[in-house]
C-alpha cells in the first residue's frame, strides 16, 4: 500500500491557467518527503487537493487506497492531518486546551478521555504549561506547536506541513523542525510530507520533490536533487549552504561531493 | 486598544464566578423581568426597588465590582436622564403637583423619571455582574443551551453559537491587526488624529479596506483549517467543556424562583403594605 498515489492530476483556479499539469506522484508509507518549489508552483494547491479542500479537474488522488472524493472525505481526513502556514488562522479554540480538543470533538472522542489525550500531546510539543493560555499570549512558534499537537492528537497516518514554518522566526522554525524529527523518531510509521521553500528543511527529508510550474522537475534524495545546481537557481530556488560550499570548494580543486553532512565536511577539511 | 474588549471578564474566584453560566443567565433574565414589575402604590414601588437595589449591591460585592466602575459606565447616561425628565415634566399628568410660577410640576412626572433611571441602573449593573463573572465562551455555551429547543423549528443553534465563539476568539487578533494597519498607514503619511472630517473619513477608509480584506482571507483559511480537522457542522460532535449543575446552582435557582414567585404573588394579590397602613406618598 502506498501512502499517496497521484495519477495525471490537473488543476486550475481560472480557465486559462493550469496550476498543476498532469502530475504523477507516489509517496511510500512511512517516508519523509519534502516538496519544494517557488511561489505559485502549485505546491500548496497539491496539499489542499490531497486533503480534499479543493476538487481536482482531472486525474485521481488516492490516500492509502481511498480515492479522494465527496464520499470518502471523512476517511481521508481521518488519515491525513495538515498544519497550515498562518499560526493565527488555524487556532480555533479560545485556549490551547480547547484548540487541541476541537479535533477530538469532531472525532467524537468521549469527553472523559479528552483530558488524557490533551495532556499527552501538549507534553509532546512542550506546551503543557500553557494549556489555559489564550492565543494572543502565545508566540507564533508556540501557536504552531499547538497546531501540531491538535493534528497529532487525532492520530493521523500522514502529516502534511504546508509551509508550517514560513511565518516563524528562526528560533520558532528550529523548534518546529526538531519537534517533527522527534515525532518521526517516536512513530516511524508516520508519513510526513513537508511543503516548503525553506531549503534547509528539505535536508531533513529522505526524498525531495521539486515542483516547477505544476510539473515535477526533480525527484530523488536531497544530495542528488541539489546537485542540479544551475537548474534550481534558474527556477528561483535557493541552494543549501552546504551544497554551495561544496561547489565553491570543488571549483578550487577540493572534491567533497561524497560528504553527507556538515560535520563530515568540517572533519575532511580539517584533515 | 486592548481595553475595549467586549464584555470585560475579570478573573476572580468568587461564588458568582463559580456558578454555572446557565444559572447566571436564567437568573439574569428573571431579575430583568422583576425590574419591570409595577405595583399599586408609589411607596410600594420604591420599597421593592430598594430591596432589589440592595440585592444587586450584594451581588456586586460578591463578584468584586466596585461602585466606581458602575458609575463610570453610567456617565454617558446623564444626557438621557435629563431628556427623560424633560419629557416626563412636559407630559400632562394628574395628582398632586408643585406650583412653580404657574407651571405645574407633577409629582408623578418625577416618580416616573426616577423609575426609569433606577431600572436602567439595575439593568446595567446586572449585565455587568454577568459579564464580569462569566467568560464570554461560557456565556455562549449557556446561550446555546438556552436556545437549544429552537433546534426543533430548524434554527441552527449550534452554528450560531460556533460563530459567536469564533468571533470572540478573533476579537484580539483583529484588534492587533487594526493596530498594525494603522501604524503601516501612518508611516505612509495617513493622519488618523487630526484634520478635517473629510480627511478623517479618508483615513478611516484606508484602515477599513485592508482590514476587511485580511479578515476575509483569515476566515477562508480558518474554514479550511476547521474542515481539515474534520469539522462538520451538521454532524454529531462530542463536547469537551461540560457544564455541570452543582448544589450551589440549585440553591441559587431556588432562591431566584422564590423571589420571583414572591413578587408575582404581591403583584396578583395587589398586596400593599403601605396602603394598608394608610401611608400615601
Amino acid at each position: 500500500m502506498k501512502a499517496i498515489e497521484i495519477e495525471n492530476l490537473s488543476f486550475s483556479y481560472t480557465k486559462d491557467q493550469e496550476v498543476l499539469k498532469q502530475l504523477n506522484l507516489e509517496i511510500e508509507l512511512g517516508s519523509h518527503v519534502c516538496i519544494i518549489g517557488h511561489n505559485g508552483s502549485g505546491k500548496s494547491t497539491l496539499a489542499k487537493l490531497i486533503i480534499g479542500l479543493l476538487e481536482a479537474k482531472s486525474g485521481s488522488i488516492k490516500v492509502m487506497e481511498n480515492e479522494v472524493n465527496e464520499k470518502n472525505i471523512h476517511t481521508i481526513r481521518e488519515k491525513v492531518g495538515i498544519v497550515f502556514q498562518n499560526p493565527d488562522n488555524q487556532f480555533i479554540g479560545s485556549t490551547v486546551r480547547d484548540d487541541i480538543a476541537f479535533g477530538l470533538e469532531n472525532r467524537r472522542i468521549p469527553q472523559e478521555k479528552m483530558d488524557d489525550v490533551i495532556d499527552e500531546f501538549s507534553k509532546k510539543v512542550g506546551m503543557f504549561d500553557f494549556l489555559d493560555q489564550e492565543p494572543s499570549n502565545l508566540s507564533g512558534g508556540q501557536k504552531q506547536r499547538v497546531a501540531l499537537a491538535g493534528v497529532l492528537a487525532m492520530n493521523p497516518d500522514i502529516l502534511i506541513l504546508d509551509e508550517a514554518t514560513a511565518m516563524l522566526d528562526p528560533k520558532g522554525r528550529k523548534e518546529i523542525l526538531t519537534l517533527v524529527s522527534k515525532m518521526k523518531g517516536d512513530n516511524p510509521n508516520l508519513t510526513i510530507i513537508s511543503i516548503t521553500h525553506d531549503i534547509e528543511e528539505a535536508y531533513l527529508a529522505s526524498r525531495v520533490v521539486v515542483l516547477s510550474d505544476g510539473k515535477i522537475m526533480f525527484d530523488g534524495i536531497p544530495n542528488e536533487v541539489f546537485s542540479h545546481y544551475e537548474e534550481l537557481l534558474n527556477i528561483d530556488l535557493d541552494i543549501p549552504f552546504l551544497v554551495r560550499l561544496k561547489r565553491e570548494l570543488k571549483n578550487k580543486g577540493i572534491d567533497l561531493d561524497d560528504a553527507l553532512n556538515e560535520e563530515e565536511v568540517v572533519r575532511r577539511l580539517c584533515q | 486598544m486592548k481595553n475595549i474588549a467586549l464584555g470585560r471578564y475579570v478573573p476572580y474566584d468568587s461564588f458568582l464566578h463559580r456558578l454555572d453560566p446557565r444559572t447566571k443567565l436564567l437568573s439574569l433574565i428573571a431579575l430583568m423581568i422583576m425590574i419591570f414589575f409595577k405595583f399599586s402604590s408609589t411607596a410600594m414601588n420604591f420599597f421593592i426597588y430598594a430591596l432589589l437595589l440592595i440585592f444587586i449591591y450584594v451581588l456586586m460585592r460578591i463578584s468584586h465590582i466596585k461602585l466606581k466602575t458602575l458609575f463610570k459606565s453610567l456617565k454617558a447616561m446623564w444626557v438621557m436622564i435629563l431628556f427623560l425628565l424633560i419629557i416626563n415634566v412636559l407630559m400632562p399628568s394628574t395628582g398632586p403637583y408643585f406650583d412653580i410660577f404657574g407651571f405645574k410640576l407633577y409629582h408623578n412626572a418625577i416618580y416616573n423619571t426616577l423609575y426609569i433611571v433606577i431600572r436602567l441602573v439595575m439593568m446595567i449593573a446586572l449585565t455587568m455582574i454577568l459579564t464580569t463573572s462569566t467568560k464570554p465562551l461560557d456565556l455562549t455555551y449557556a446561550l446555546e443551551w438556552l436556545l437549544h429547543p429552537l433546534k426543533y423549528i430548524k434554527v441552527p443553534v449550534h452554528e450560531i453559537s460556533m460563530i459567536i465563539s469564533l468571533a470572540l476568539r478573533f476579537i484580539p487578533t483583529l484588534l492587533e491587526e487594526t493596530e498594525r494597519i494603522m501604524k503601516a498607514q501612518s508611516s505612509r503619511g495617513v493622519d488618523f488624529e487630526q484634520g478635517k472630517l473629510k480627511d478623517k473619513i479618508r483615513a478611516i477608509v484606508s484602515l477599513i479596506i485592508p482590514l476587511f480584506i485580511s479578515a476575509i482571507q483569515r476566515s477562508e483559511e480558518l474554514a479550511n483549517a476547521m474542515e481539515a480537522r474534520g469539522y462538520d457542522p451538521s454532524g454529531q460532535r462530542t463536547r469537551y467543556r461540560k457544564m455541570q449543575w452543582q448544589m450551589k446552582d440549585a440553591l441559587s435557582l431556588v432562591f431566584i424562583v422564590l423571589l420571583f414567585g414572591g413578587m408575582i404573588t404581591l403583584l396578583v394579590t395587589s398586596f400593599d403594605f403601605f396602603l394598608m397602613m394608610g401611608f400615601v406618598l
Side-chain angles (χ1 to χ4, degrees), chain B residues 145-200:
Chain B
W145 172 82
L146 190 70
L147 298 178
H148 193 254
L150 293 182
K151 250 189 2 204
Y152 300 104
I153 54 164
K154 298 265 189 288
V155 177
V157 178
H158 165 74
E159 282 90 330
I160 293 173
S161 128
M162 179 55 93
I163 291 167
I164 297 175
S165 56
L166 284 175
L168 291 171
R169 143 78 186 89
F170 273 91
I171 286 174
T173 313
L174 288 177
L175 281 179
E176 224 171 81
E177 181 100 359
T178 313
E179 232 168 318
R180 192 161 45 226
I181 296 172
M182 272 174 97
K183 277 183 192 152
Q185 298 292 43
S186 300
S187 76
R188 290 179 175 85
V190 177
D191 192 343
F192 286 101
E193 263 138 46
Q194 281 155 0
K196 282 182 237 141
L197 185 68
K198 204 179 107 199
D199 297 332
K200 265 195 177 159

Side-chain angles (χ1 to χ4, degrees), chain B residues 15-27 130 133-134 138-139 141-143 145 242-250 252-253:
Chain B
F15 175 76
L16 278 176
H17 281 72
R18 273 176 278 139
L19 273 184
D20 191 291
R22 291 172 293 182
T23 312
K24 285 186 267 190
L25 192 63
L26 287 175
S27 308
L130 182 74
S133 66
T134 320
D138 288 338
L139 213 52
Y141 290 153
L143 214 59
W145 172 82
K242 275 257 164 74
M243 290 181 287
Q244 205 92 55
W245 294 112
Q246 280 164 316
M247 201 54 192
K248 50 177 173 282
D249 296 303
S252 309
L253 283 174

Side-chain angles (χ1 to χ4, degrees), chain A residues 48 51 53 74 77 80 82 84 86 88-95 97-106 108-112 114-115 118 132 135-136 150 154, chain B residues 2 9 135 137 141 162 165-166 169-170 172-173 176 180 214 217-232 235-242 244:
Chain A
K48 285 190 186 134
I51 199 155
L53 288 171
H74 290 292
R77 284 176 188 163
V80 189
I82 184 165
F84 291 100
N86 192 315
D88 262 316
N89 299 353
Q90 53 184 321
F91 204 108
I92 296 145
S94 56
T95 63
R97 201 184 274 289
D98 292 283
D99 191 59
I100 301 176
F102 177 77
L104 303 175
E105 290 176 329
N106 295 337
R108 281 169 242 152
I109 309 284
Q111 194 252 352
E112 311 82 62
M114 284 189 196
D115 270 320
I118 291 170
D132 288 309
S136 48
M154 294 166 78
Chain B
K2 274 184 184 149
Y9 169 72
K135 281 185 198 151
L137 197 69
Y141 290 153
M162 179 55 93
S165 56
L166 284 175
R169 143 78 186 89
F170 273 91
T173 313
E176 224 171 81
R180 192 161 45 226
S214 110
Q217 274 167 358
R218 266 180 206 287
S219 65
E220 196 185 338
E221 280 181 35
L222 181 74
N224 276 344
M226 287 173 73
E227 257 196 75
R229 278 163 77 180
Y231 179 65
D232 179 6
Q236 201 79 54
R237 305 177 76 221
T238 48
R239 245 299 159 62
Y240 175 58
R241 298 273 178 193
K242 275 257 164 74
Q244 205 92 55

Side-chain angles (χ1 to χ4, degrees), chain B residues 8 45 71 81 111 135 162 190 205 212 244-245 249:
Chain B
R8 239 173 294 160
N45 271 330
F71 287 135
I81 291 171
Y111 295 149
K135 281 185 198 151
M162 179 55 93
V190 177
V205 168
F212 261 80
Q244 205 92 55
W245 294 112
D249 296 303

Side-chain angles (χ1 to χ4, degrees), chain A residues 72-258:
Chain A
N72 283 336
I73 201 79
H74 290 292
T75 327
I76 304 290
R77 284 176 188 163
E78 266 172 42
K79 298 195 184 302
V80 189
I82 184 165
V83 178
F84 291 100
Q85 181 178 15
N86 192 315
D88 262 316
N89 299 353
Q90 53 184 321
F91 204 108
I92 296 145
S94 56
T95 63
V96 172
R97 201 184 274 289
D98 292 283
D99 191 59
I100 301 176
F102 177 77
L104 303 175
E105 290 176 329
N106 295 337
R107 211 34 98 60
R108 281 169 242 152
I109 309 284
Q111 194 252 352
E112 311 82 62
K113 287 186 188 156
M114 284 189 196
D115 270 320
D116 291 338
V117 180
I118 291 170
D119 286 355
E120 184 192 338
F121 284 92
S122 60
K123 270 180 195 151
K124 269 192 181 163
V125 300
M127 290 298 289
F128 183 67
D129 296 331
F130 299 88
L131 273 181
D132 288 309
Q133 291 285 342
E134 288 170 19
S136 48
N137 301 330
L138 302 176
S139 72
Q142 286 174 321
K143 278 179 230 177
Q144 286 303 68
R145 268 147 65 189
V146 174
L148 199 58
V151 167
L152 290 173
M154 294 166 78
N155 201 17
D157 297 295
I158 301 166
L159 173 67
I160 303 180
L161 303 166
D162 184 3
E163 303 204 46
T165 60
M167 285 177 76
L168 304 183
D169 53 20
K171 188 170 158 271
R173 180 171 311 185
K174 208 165 174 189
E175 278 170 2
I176 293 288
L177 293 182
T178 323
L179 210 55
V180 169
S181 307
K182 206 182 99 198
M183 296 295 153
K184 181 74 180 149
D186 289 351
N187 179 9
N189 291 327
L190 185 69
T191 310
I192 298 179
I193 304 172
S194 61
I195 291 167
T196 179
H197 48 222
D198 175 26
I199 287 295
E200 305 294 335
E201 200 177 321
Y203 253 95
L204 291 171
S206 50
R207 176 179 164 200
V208 176
V209 176
V210 182
L211 269 187
S212 176
D213 290 325
K215 282 184 193 141
I216 292 175
M217 195 175 189
F218 299 113
D219 185 352
I221 58 163
N223 269 335
E224 183 191 306
V225 168
F226 291 125
S227 63
H228 300 281
Y229 195 86
E230 268 81 28
E231 290 100 317
L232 291 179
L233 279 182
N234 274 339
I235 59 163
D236 294 330
L237 274 177
D238 218 1
I239 302 298
F241 172 71
L242 197 62
V243 176
R244 244 170 28 219
L245 181 73
K246 285 199 274 192
R247 183 105 189 159
E248 296 295 324
L249 285 171
K250 202 175 179 182
N251 287 344
K252 294 249 183 310
I254 307 165
D255 190 355
L256 290 173
D257 268 359
D258 49 338

Side-chain angles (χ1 to χ4, degrees), chain B residues 4-281:
Chain B
I4 59 167
L6 277 170
R8 239 173 294 160
Y9 169 72
V10 182
Y12 206 92
D13 193 24
S14 78
F15 175 76
L16 278 176
H17 281 72
R18 273 176 278 139
L19 273 184
D20 191 291
R22 291 172 293 182
T23 312
K24 285 186 267 190
L25 192 63
L26 287 175
S27 308
L28 178 86
I29 294 169
L31 282 164
M32 287 276 195
I33 296 171
M34 281 186 241
I35 286 171
F36 285 91
F37 285 170
K38 203 166 180 191
F39 298 92
S40 39
S41 78
T42 312
M44 188 67 184
N45 271 330
F46 279 119
F47 176 68
I48 296 289
Y49 281 155
L51 282 185
L52 280 173
L53 276 173
I54 291 170
F55 180 58
I56 290 171
Y57 179 67
V58 171
L59 289 181
M60 278 174 66
R61 287 302 298 263
I62 294 175
S63 55
H64 289 260
I65 303 174
K66 292 196 188 81
L67 273 179
K68 217 170 72 188
T69 337
L70 177 65
F71 287 135
K72 244 191 224 163
S73 58
L74 289 177
K75 243 188 205 165
M77 278 178 44
W78 283 120
V79 186
M80 204 167 118
I81 291 171
L82 211 67
F83 184 71
L84 282 171
L85 186 66
I86 293 170
I87 296 258
N88 271 311
V89 165
L90 294 179
M91 290 280 259
S93 183
T94 51
Y97 55 86
F98 301 114
D99 199 335
I100 309 170
F101 306 117
F103 179 78
K104 289 174 183 169
L105 177 59
Y106 290 96
H107 291 184
N108 274 342
I110 299 170
Y111 295 149
N112 281 334
T113 316
L114 270 177
Y115 289 161
I116 298 176
V117 172
I118 293 173
R119 283 173 189 161
L120 269 174
V121 170
M122 288 199 284
M123 272 164 66
I124 290 174
L126 282 172
T127 321
M128 203 174 203
I129 291 166
L130 182 74
T131 52
T132 317
S133 66
T134 320
K135 281 185 198 151
L137 197 69
D138 288 338
L139 213 52
T140 324
Y141 290 153
L143 214 59
E144 186 182 353
W145 172 82
L146 190 70
L147 298 178
H148 193 254
L150 293 182
K151 250 189 2 204
Y152 300 104
I153 54 164
K154 298 265 189 288
V155 177
V157 178
H158 165 74
E159 282 90 330
I160 293 173
S161 128
M162 179 55 93
I163 291 167
I164 297 175
S165 56
L166 284 175
L168 291 171
R169 143 78 186 89
F170 273 91
I171 286 174
T173 313
L174 288 177
L175 281 179
E176 224 171 81
E177 181 100 359
T178 313
E179 232 168 318
R180 192 161 45 226
I181 296 172
M182 272 174 97
K183 277 183 192 152
Q185 298 292 43
S186 300
S187 76
R188 290 179 175 85
V190 177
D191 192 343
F192 286 101
E193 263 138 46
Q194 281 155 0
K196 282 182 237 141
L197 185 68
K198 204 179 107 199
D199 297 332
K200 265 195 177 159
I201 290 172
R202 268 179 52 197
I204 295 290
V205 168
S206 77
L207 169 68
I208 285 178
I209 290 176
L211 189 65
F212 261 80
I213 292 173
S214 110
I216 289 166
Q217 274 167 358
R218 266 180 206 287
S219 65
E220 196 185 338
E221 280 181 35
L222 181 74
N224 276 344
M226 287 173 73
E227 257 196 75
R229 278 163 77 180
Y231 179 65
D232 179 6
S234 55
Q236 201 79 54
R237 305 177 76 221
T238 48
R239 245 299 159 62
Y240 175 58
R241 298 273 178 193
K242 275 257 164 74
M243 290 181 287
Q244 205 92 55
W245 294 112
Q246 280 164 316
M247 201 54 192
K248 50 177 173 282
D249 296 303
L251 291 176
S252 309
L253 283 174
V254 165
F255 178 76
I256 292 289
V257 166
L258 285 179
L259 194 65
F260 198 80
M263 291 273 205
I264 296 275
T265 319
L266 283 182
L267 207 60
V268 172
T269 57
S270 34
F271 173 85
D272 199 319
F273 181 66
F274 295 96
L275 277 182
M276 278 161 67
M277 304 255 296
F279 178 85
V280 177
L281 195 73

